[in-house]
């Protein structure tokens, strides 16, 4: 089964919830509606034609151009993406990527983290990976069993992999920059 076949199955099953696709990318992918993410993930895992039993990685990406001279050429509006890389034990070499596009801030309110459903109920490996994305990029995973920081201290303010993050001058008496 090719990436185009996988995309066709997803479009047939979920229709407009598949917002974008690229079967010819280095990592073939679909972009799905965040509200349907868990449903799409369960389908990718459970459908006998697909069998994506492994969630290899969850990554957060910040699409923000901070240089005013480059904003017009950037070709995108500022947003965040959560990227899920999947594999299959049953079909060696089968890989696929699912993306979710989120606003930088929930409801446009600065400081309110965007939200997406957790996939911990689909793949247990999502637990720590979602915590890492929460900690470093600032995406809230709704329904996560323990959405706490995993790399930064509990009292750290902000999410340091956001492109507009400003590192503190000092943290607990330690110079940061």
């Amino acid at each position: 089964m090719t990436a185009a076949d996988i995309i066709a199955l997803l479009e047939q099953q979920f229709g407009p919830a598949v917002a974008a696709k690229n079967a010819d990318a280095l990592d073939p992918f679909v972009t799905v509606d965040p509200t349907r993410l868990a449903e799409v993930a369960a389908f990718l895992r459970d459908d006998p034609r697909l069998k994506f039993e492994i969630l290899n990685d969850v990554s957060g990406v910040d699409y923000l151009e901070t240089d005013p001279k480059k904003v017009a050429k950037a070709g995108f509006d500022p947003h965040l993406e959560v990227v899920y890389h999947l594999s299959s034990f049953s079909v060696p070499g089968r890989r696929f990527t699912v993306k979710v596009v989120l606003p930088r801030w929930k409801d446009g309110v600065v400081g309110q983290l965007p939200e997406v459903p957790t996939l911990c109920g689909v793949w247990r490996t999502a637990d720590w990976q979602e915590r890492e994305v929460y900690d470093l990029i600032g995406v809230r995973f709704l329904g996560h069993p323990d959405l706490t920081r995993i790399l930064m201290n509990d009292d750290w303010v902000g999410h340091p992999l956001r492109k507009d993050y400003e590192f503190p001058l000092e943290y607990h008496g330690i110079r940061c920059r």
Side-chain angles (χ1 to χ4, degrees):
M1 178 173 285
T2 67
D5 295 333
I6 295 168
I7 292 169
L9 275 174
L10 291 171
E11 288 179 317
Q12 177 185 2
Q13 184 73 21
F14 299 101
V18 178
K21 61 190 175 192
N22 188 341
D24 299 321
L26 182 58
D27 290 324
F29 70 89
V30 293
T31 301
V32 300
D33 180 336
T35 62
R36 305 281 306 273
L37 175 64
E39 190 180 350
V40 170
F43 180 78
L44 286 163
R45 181 196 63 194
D46 297 338
D47 189 282
R49 298 166 290 182
L50 300 173
K51 299 188 138 212
F52 285 102
E53 299 104 340
I54 309 165
L55 173 62
N56 296 327
D57 181 52
V58 179
S59 300
V61 184
D62 185 0
Y63 284 92
L64 174 68
E65 181 51 65
T66 56
D67 184 344
K69 296 175 185 174
K70 296 180 181 178
V71 169
K73 295 179 184 178
F76 55 82
D77 290 328
H79 66 279
L80 300 178
E81 287 186 10
V82 181
V83 182
Y84 302 85
H85 292 96
L86 312 175
S87 293
S88 173
F89 277 131
S90 303
V91 184
R94 179 177 287 170
R95 299 175 52 192
F96 197 67
T97 303
V98 176
K99 298 181 181 185
V100 176
V101 176
L102 302 169
R104 289 185 52 72
W105 303 108
K106 181 181 177 187
D107 301 325
V109 178
V110 174
Q112 295 294 315
L113 300 182
E115 300 173 339
V116 67
T118 184
L119 294 186
C120 287
V122 180
W123 294 288
R124 290 189 62 185
T125 57
D127 186 342
W128 283 29
Q129 296 176 45
E130 288 177 352
R131 287 177 61 195
E132 179 182 9
V133 173
Y134 162 72
D135 195 5
L136 299 177
I137 292 287
V139 172
R140 187 172 311 285
F141 292 89
L142 298 175
H144 192 284
D146 183 26
L147 194 61
T148 56
R149 290 197 179 265
I150 193 168
L151 296 172
M152 306 303 292
N153 284 345
D154 290 338
D155 63 347
W156 191 268
V157 176
H159 305 277
L161 291 186
R162 281 191 174 233
K163 291 185 178 176
D164 57 355
Y165 180 75
E166 293 186 29
F167 282 89
L169 292 174
E170 189 174 278
Y171 176 74
H172 294 288
I174 300 168
R175 183 172 170 82
C176 294
R177 55 180 171 141

